[in-house]
């Protein structure tokens, strides 16, 4: 889940996600931990309503390189 850690919307998305799968809350691509992707085949990405598209795209690009 990408978004501000103080954002109510983002926190709610994270809570829903965490109930259903292994989840992480990050504000940008620099917070990605490569270990999260070990032995994984699928990665879902969602973001808070106010998260800028360019931040989301940078996260996706970094994940695609893993």
């Amino acid at each position: 889940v990408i978004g501000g850690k103080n954002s109510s919307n983002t926190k709610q998305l994270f809570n829903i996600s965490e109930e259903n799968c292994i989840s992480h809350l990050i504000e940008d691509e620099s917070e990605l931990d490569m270990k999260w992707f070990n032995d994984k085949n699928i990665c879902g990405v969602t973001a808070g309503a106010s998260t800028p598209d360019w931040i989301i795209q940078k996260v996706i690009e970094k994940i695609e390189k893993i």
Side-chain angles (χ1 to χ4, degrees):
V1 179
I2 309 164
K5 293 182 180 169
N6 295 320
S7 163
S8 295
N9 173 266
T10 303
K11 284 183 198 176
Q12 184 63 21
L13 283 172
F14 178 68
N15 289 336
I16 293 167
S17 178
E18 194 173 42
E19 290 174 6
N20 295 284
C21 58
I22 298 168
S23 302
H24 305 281
L25 174 57
I26 61 171
E27 292 187 339
D28 61 40
E29 77 281 2
S30 69
E31 295 182 14
L32 287 170
D33 185 338
M34 299 306 116
K35 294 175 194 168
W36 296 343
F37 303 94
N38 290 345
D39 302 319
K40 305 293 186 296
N41 295 319
I42 297 172
C43 175
V45 176
T46 190
S50 61
T51 306
D53 289 343
W54 65 271
I55 292 178
I56 298 167
Q57 192 57 43
K58 283 188 164 273
V59 170
I60 292 169
E61 289 170 5
K62 188 165 181 179
I63 291 170
E64 288 177 335
K65 291 179 182 177
I66 297 172

